[in-house]
Amino acid sequence: AIRMTQSPSSFSASTGDRVTLTCRASQGISSSLAWYQQKPGKAPKLLIYSASTLQSGVPSRFSGSGSGTDFTLTISCLQSEDFATYYCQQYYTYPYSFGQGTKLESK
Amino acid sequence: QVQLVESGGGVVQPGWSLRLSCAASGFTFSNYAMHWVRQAPGKGLEWVAVISYDGSNKNYADSVRGRFTISRDTSKNTLYLQMNSLRAEDTAVYFCARSGYDSNDYPAYYFDYWGQGTLVTVSS
């Protein structure tokens, strides 16, 4: 099974900051990677798929990059509503797997 | 608009069974693969099972294979998860989720829409 590792596990930032979150796959997954945002008590929300394609309706301050084993999610100018937990997910092969999450907190 | 509404969760004892349902609306249900994803309290996300758009192919996480069965009823626009021999470690919020497509219009198994989830608690 492919293991997805996110770093950091938690991160403190301020509104207006540029933030980059990292996700690493234990083996190559091409560009078969998605990013999700989850707020407490809510379902996850798709942000990015195919490593860099922005889901419709998602603000352009979110961007994704990478291929193979190393991926990043960047929030260019952090807004108050962006404080949440972020998960990466590989869909290259079964079993589809998620990273453990990065909790983005207000400094 | 796309809506996924789960139901059927509850509190059961170890070894018991439970069937979850997910009512889909706002899209052509028969065109999409569908998934179940779960989240244990305070933990991360775990993919559970997938069923192809026509129900002909199914796959499961190792942790549930042989105990859980995913199915769909296109006439009712409903996805199901039959859960047998439940264990304490199956305690989680269970989400149904719709599968996406890639730029070439091939199924791609990320999750573009999610339901609100239903809580399953397995406890004696």
Side-chain angles (χ1 to χ4, degrees):
Chain A
I2 297 176
R3 180 179 175 85
M4 305 301 292
T5 303
Q6 292 184 241
S7 60
S9 295
S10 63
F11 185 72
S12 295
S14 301
T15 55
D17 285 353
R18 180 183 179 89
V19 172
T20 297
L21 310 181
T22 297
C23 176
R24 175 165 287 175
S26 61
Q27 63 188 74
I29 60 169
S30 186
S31 296
S32 299
L33 185 102
W35 289 95
Y36 303 88
Q37 176 194 68
Q38 188 180 32
K39 296 181 179 179
K42 300 295 187 181
K45 173 187 174 183
L46 175 68
L47 300 175
I48 301 278
Y49 62 96
S50 297
S52 61
T53 302
L54 195 67
Q55 171 70 347
S56 176
V58 174
S60 58
R61 63 181 180 272
F62 291 92
S63 63
S65 66
S67 68
T69 59
D70 294 316
F71 302 86
T72 60
L73 173 70
T74 298
I75 310 172
S76 60
C77 183
L78 201 60
Q79 303 298 301
S80 58
E81 60 266 31
D82 300 336
F83 293 106
T85 300
Y86 292 84
Y87 294 93
C88 62
Q89 177 237 337
Q90 68 81 17
Y91 52 95
Y92 184 75
T93 189
Y94 296 115
Y96 309 124
S97 46
F98 292 89
Q100 82 282 10
T102 292
K103 187 174 184 179
L104 187 53
E105 299 174 303
S106 178
K107 186 180 290 184
Chain B
Q1 71 283 17
V2 173
Q3 275 201 307
L4 300 169
V5 180
E6 301 94 336
S7 60
V11 180
V12 296
Q13 294 186 8
W16 286 23
S17 297
L18 204 59
R19 189 177 82 159
L20 306 182
S21 300
C22 170
S25 60
F27 65 102
T28 304
F29 182 66
S30 58
N31 286 353
Y32 290 85
M34 297 293 296
H35 302 258
W36 289 97
V37 177
R38 68 184 180 183
Q39 187 169 37
K43 302 297 184 183
L45 299 164
E46 180 188 16
W47 172 79
V48 173
V50 61
I51 186 168
S52 60
Y53 71 99
D54 61 357
S56 62
N57 289 295
K58 305 173 185 181
N59 214 320
Y60 300 91
D62 287 346
S63 57
V64 307
R65 184 175 288 113
R67 300 188 299 123
F68 290 11
T69 302
I70 189 171
S71 62
R72 65 194 297 160
D73 185 336
T74 300
S75 68
K76 296 182 179 179
N77 284 355
T78 301
L79 175 72
Y80 300 101
L81 186 67
Q82 177 67 43
M83 304 185 294
N84 298 332
S85 303
L86 282 161
R87 306 167 179 167
E89 55 264 36
D90 296 319
T91 294
V93 173
Y94 285 74
F95 298 98
C96 67
R98 192 181 82 167
S99 216
Y101 277 83
D102 68 16
S103 57
N104 296 315
D105 278 341
Y106 286 112
Y109 297 113
Y110 60 88
F111 317 115
D112 61 357
Y113 288 92
W114 298 64
Q116 84 289 350
T118 187
L119 177 61
V120 173
T121 303
V122 184
S123 174
S124 55

